[in-house]
Amino acid sequence: MVDKKTILIHSKVSWARKSALAIIGLFFVMTLAVWSYYFYKKKELYQKTQERMVSIAKNRSERILDHVKKYTIQGQLRAAEPFLIEEMARLRDVKPEEVSSPATIKKEQKLITFLEEKSTELTFNNTIIITPDGLVVFAHSDKNYSGKNVSQLPYSGYALGESFMRAKMSLTTDISDFDFDPLLNRPVLFVTIPILHNEKLLGMLVQRVPREPIYAIGDDYIGLGSTGDITLTDEVEDGLVFLSRIRTENTQPLKRFIALDKTSDYLFPVQLASQGDRGQGLTMDFLQDTVFAAWRYVPKVNWGIVTKITEKEVLGQLNHIRLLGFGVLILFILILLIVSFYLGWFGPLLRSVNFYLHVWWIRTILFLFLLITIVWIAYSFMNQWNINLEQFKTLGAKKVQYAAENIDYYLHNSEITVANLAYDLGANRINKYDLLPRIKREFSEHADLQGIMIAYQPYEYSKEKKLYAPFFKRTKNNDVEIRYIDESYDYTQEQLSVNEAIWAHAGWYRKALENKEITIFEPYQDPELYDQLIIKIAVPFYNPADKEKQHPMGVVAYLFNSNSITKIVEQISLGDTGFAYLLAKDGRFMVYPIKNFINDQRTGQELAGELGSPSLLRMTNEALSGKSGFGFYDDKTFQQRMWAYYSPVSSTGWPLILIFSQQELKLPPLIYRHYWIWLLVLVGIGLFFLIWIGMKYAFITSNILYFFILIESALLLAFFIIIRASPIIRQPEKAITILDQVHLRQFVNERDRYARHIDEREPVEVPCGIYLYSLNFSKPTQASVSGYVWLKYPDTLAKELMKEPQFPQVIGGTNLQKSYETHEKGFTIMGWQFTFDLAQSFDFVTYPFDTLNFVIELEHPDLSQHIVFVPAFEDYRDLRPEKLPGIHPGLTVTGFGMKKSYFSFFKESGESNFGLQSFQNTPDRYYLGYTLILQRYLFYELIVFVLPLFIVLLLLYALSWVAEKEWLPIMILSGYTGLLFSTILLHRTLRARFMTGDVLYLEYLFFMIYLTIVLLVLYLVHQVYFKGRVSYISKAFRMYKTYFWPIQLMILFIITALIFYNP
Amino acid sequence: MFLSKWWLYIIAGSLVALSLILLSVVQLREKKVDPINVGVLFSLTGPIALTEKPLIDATLLAIDEINRNGGLLGRAINPIVVDGKSDTEQFKKEAIKLIQKDKVAAIFGVWRSSTRKALKDILEKNDSMLFYPADDEGLEESPNIVYMGSMPNQTVLPAISWAMTNLGKKFFIVGSEDLFPIVLHEIIKFHLQSMGGEIVGVELVKTEDQIPPIVEKIVASAPSVIVNVLQASMNIPFFKNLRQAGITAEKIPSMSFNLTEIELKELEVPFMVGDYASWTYFQTINTPENRAFVKDLKKKYGKSSVVNAIMESAYANVYIWSRAVQDAQSIQVPSLKKHLALQVFNAPGDVVYLDEKEQHAWRTAFIGRILYNGQFEIVWSSKKQIQPLIYPPYQTREYWDDFVRKTLKKLVSHGG
């Protein structure tokens, strides 16, 4: 029989179980509901955000079009005004010199009065009136244009000039480019309207469209949150120019440019929009942010518009739901645990888990799974290099082939140009007297064309007889100069004397005749044509009736400079170090970042010899023999492995070679470290599993604790070695490290190209060198330094220019003494001796495993001059960073080892324009920095701090066990207190050394000791007051003591992993 | 027992459920969706097949590309290619068949203006859409036609202006006796008068035997430029006669508005070397997009294929239509019409877009000089798209409508 009490207990238990189940069920449903709601809202939010982006893009592009349309209609209405037509008829024949004459001014006054009367309905002050010949006869606010002829250079190349010509030629209202106008010194957008009357073109009425409303449209971030932006871009030759400012940058319109890689498989939304595409979606923008974006093309003005908002911000709206989700999930787990514990579910649960884990095959499977994971991570770690190599190879091949195709296309077009004149000469369509106008036309249409040589009738052809042979040369003033080759030398001869061969480069005549078709000659430097590298294309001409090409009538040769080809090659880049060069068939450099290589007629083989690389020599020879390939060579100068992809230009066989450093293939130190950390963690777990399996087979029988301690210690030690071996060097944002002349030229060329795109002056380079004699870290944020600095000012710079360096970080002890000034090779060289204290921003968080980068920033004091200091590489013997260029061999820094030194360019923050408008106009402004990487000596720090801390920990451990045997609480407590006191003293010493707001890595060891002391004291108190009656506390503390070292090591391991995973 | 029966039930049930899900996914993927029929109406036979056949190639290339990228609204585009046999009546017959029987969503086709005009009523009556690729004389608008070719103000007027600046001010105009050349003559006359140019002769040609006396007149009047609006087949006899009379491109260059790479490929090129033409596209345009387009076309239709401006327009037409369909999410003409305005496409030559009011395209103009290899060397470009003007600005709309009416009447009375 069951008694009432039992029934009551059972009913209570049953009720409790039901309630517990209900609570668990409730929380389970709540967790499911919250997360379902989160994912539903996320999907909805994604969709709504995309729709919003599309709608904003559409709205802003309509507003832009409405704005332009308003001025177009206003202008068209004004152009139809009878008074204006009458005035235009009068002004149409004004001559340039009469523009400012009293009569014209009087006429203009009438116009002004007329326009002012209309000012309430029309924006009269933006009007320009131009005669059909292009003369600006009226410009109310844009006065600089008055009297200028916009159909003539340079104005014909400006937005207004181009718009005028289009409108005049098509008699159609034209919307100009939105472009920077050098005459008005600001960005402009015009609408040009032809004025017609009585079937006659009277002139053009130009309406300047105010740009501020356009900027306002671009700045209208309503609906775009705090990270959203609207970009308006215009496609230019090799990139995009931003027409409105970028929200995250303080950039003026038309002063931001991004170069675009045509070989890239990925196109940014700004690029897609500008080239006429449209779309929306979650994508990556040009700032490398993941954004929701909508992009479209704005017709008529031909801009691309992109509206975007970061994914982070969008998802931020759901943060509260996500937090709630996590909260409910944690609560659910907690309740599950508590209820399980309370209702005794825990035991069976653990038993069942224990049971399954003890089933040998499950254990083995888990171990094997772990092993496979370790092997897989290790394989992907090793393979990452191969993947990178494959990626670089594919990309490099693509870039080289694309450039080679472009060069081919250019040469093909040039050949056709030459053949076309040859055809006309052969068909007698041009005679000797018609030739000059045609030659002038050729020069005006082909900017690269520098000369034309023709050997042709009226003399009858004879291989040994000189023909009448004019040489047309483009002069520096773009005029045509005629000389006669036949008077200079006998070009029909096979061999020529050295003097004769100067610009003839023997064989052009004979070889073309022998080939009977278009022949491209090897490039050569032509002193006749201002030492330019010349590519000569020659073709014999025949009468069209002479189908067999039996009777040549002469030869025509065009001499092109290599500017277009240079431009194609210079645009090739790969990663941070990749650059390309082009060789002629005889190995001479045609394009190379260092121009002297071309001028000095150096060859690829010579370069290979200088670098001491037989592999490069082999690859160069292979490339010269017309083969494509991929390989590596060892650069003896920089002691690094370089990779090269080479492929010939198919029409000429000129090898195009792309070089990049093996450094590019290496994993970034942080990723490298991540791989190692995961491997370590998994190996650790794997070892535990192994012990476990070993226990099953009884070959591990002794105290398992030792194994745990051993494994953890080994892991920790391995961890420290990895941290030490892969230091993370913190570089300022967008710092570009420049290690040699090639990369310097590449960087400078890129900056020059940027400057041209945004209509800014190209920066003036001043080579700068630095040499340090002493360095001392007087304070944690300060360094005392002394040494030499020298600058090489080109003679082309103004004499009154301030000539000295500026060290913006100087905070004290300034002493800059000029040591020497001399003049060499077109440069004024000035040297200074300096001693001062520099502000530094060191990061000590990872102490004692920290790596410091000491930086000296150098700027020209006159920021308005746009002078950039560049490393004077030629003044150093060894440029390898490991060889510490710029450091005196006797220099030592207490407590640190010097690892590397190099030059970098740092980007200006752009926070301020220093009061100079022009400074702000150039967003990507760089200044020179000299960096010295220092790594802390560990030994000293280990002795001073780490060792005492471990001894304290050991003493605590010992005391805790002693306390079990010798029960004198007060003595034990005194022992704990003494250890605490020593730890605090040590901690204070550490803090005094590093006055930083951050918590140092080593401090966590202190915290561990504090916590241990607190726990041991609590245990002591429990033992004294409760006599160990609370069994589970006793049990827990015993457990803690037993596993003291594994726990401490584990905590230390976790802290180390967390801090050093992403330092 | 290794597994309890409940476990077996659960596993079996899961397998059945999984199979059902997979089956339905596969079925859904394989579900037949009707393709979208579109008409491709050009001449495969007859005298103008030479010009129109390549337009079919370009249209089909664009359709192929869209189909390869997943089709339109999840459906494939099915081109129904029909032969207009170079005959306006046949064109009308085929257009009606395409609209009424094949229920095509749109027709891509027609090259001649007169054929387009003949189809206009049929299209408007049936509310069907024609995407017309060729240049036209303007002076016409229809809600059922998209005009992708250029208007006279986009290519002809800039070319005449350029010729006046670069070649000379005396012009001799010669063209076939058809609506397009006659309207162009009229527009050019006004333009030259307005710009201070001089017309030294205007001649219309119907038959080849009329050419020698015209050439004599050209020699006698010694113009600076010959404006050529002759139909393709007339170009050989005309240029042959010119050269025989000693007139080379160096002496008196011509500016043609009907001569493209296609005609030059078929004709004897050397006669025209050095002469000029104005179009919205040339095969030699050096952009990555155009290089890819030419490469794709050659890959599909053979290495000797060439591309001209009308082919490029035919190609762009398909994309413009597909984008409007995407926006409308429908192939129905009323919905489509609402989404045509300012529709943009990055065509091989340059970006093209339709005007917001009329369904004519904003196009970039190019002037090219004929090279000895049958291609054009671009000597001038407008760099930006020019707005299409249906009615040239010199006269009123009424004047031009009246002019077209009279011209058509005259052509009919002349048996044209």
Side-chain angles (χ1 to χ4, degrees), chain A residues 578-650:
Chain A
F579 70 97
Y581 60 87
L582 183 71
L583 299 179
K585 279 295 275 176
D586 58 4
R588 274 178 300 119
F589 284 100
M590 287 178 69
V591 183
Y592 196 80
I594 304 169
K595 300 287 177 232
N596 285 351
F597 276 42
I598 303 153
N599 299 339
D600 299 345
Q601 306 214 6
R602 290 172 69 180
T603 65
Q605 293 96 323
E606 283 170 7
L607 178 71
E610 280 166 28
L611 296 175
S613 170
S615 309
L616 180 62
L617 185 65
R618 179 188 51 76
M619 285 192 285
T620 308
N621 288 331
E622 267 184 30
L624 286 167
S625 66
K627 287 180 189 160
S628 294
F630 187 65
F632 63 83
Y633 66 93
D634 291 318
D635 183 332
K636 293 273 160 60
T637 317
F638 277 93
Q639 297 281 309
Q640 59 173 327
R641 181 157 286 181
M642 305 296 284
W643 288 79
Y645 181 84
Y646 49 93
S647 184
V649 174
S650 63

Side-chain angles (χ1 to χ4, degrees), chain B residues 39-107:
Chain B
V40 181
L41 178 56
F42 290 105
S43 298
L44 287 160
T45 53
I48 57 169
L50 164 78
T51 307
E52 294 199 6
K53 257 185 185 171
L55 304 182
I56 301 175
D57 295 346
T59 309
L60 295 183
L61 178 73
I63 292 173
D64 259 13
E65 284 175 0
I66 294 171
N67 281 341
R68 253 186 284 132
N69 288 317
L72 193 55
L73 306 181
R75 296 162 69 183
I77 306 171
N78 176 40
I80 301 171
V81 182
V82 286
D83 184 6
K85 295 178 181 171
S86 304
D87 175 53
T88 303
E89 285 309 309
Q90 184 67 22
F91 267 104
K92 283 166 82 173
K93 216 166 98 186
E94 292 294 350
I96 292 168
K97 197 172 148 236
L98 282 170
I99 297 164
Q100 293 178 350
K101 195 182 160 208
D102 299 319
K103 309 275 181 213
V104 293
I107 297 172

Side-chain angles (χ1 to χ4, degrees), chain A residues 110-121:
Chain A
K110 279 187 178 179
L111 257 180
I112 294 165
T113 314
F114 164 75
L115 291 168
E116 275 173 353
E117 279 168 11
K118 301 278 176 188
S119 63
T120 51
E121 54 188 279

Side-chain angles (χ1 to χ4, degrees), chain A residues 184-195:
Chain A
L184 300 176
N185 198 26
R186 60 172 181 262
V188 285
L189 175 68
F190 297 107
V191 176
T192 310
I193 302 136
I195 307 170

Side-chain angles (χ1 to χ4, degrees), chain A residues 11 15 135 251 315 323 372 436 536 554 607 643 704 936 1000:
Chain A
S11 72
W15 180 86
L135 184 71
T251 317
L315 286 182
L323 276 175
I372 292 166
L436 192 58
K536 185 163 52 193
L607 178 71
W643 288 79
I704 198 169
R936 196 180 290 277
L1000 308 180

Side-chain angles (χ1 to χ4, degrees), chain A residues 4 385 418 537 652 689 713 755 886 978 980:
Chain A
K4 274 186 181 177
W385 195 86
V418 186
I537 302 175
T652 55
F689 267 93
S713 307
L980 177 70

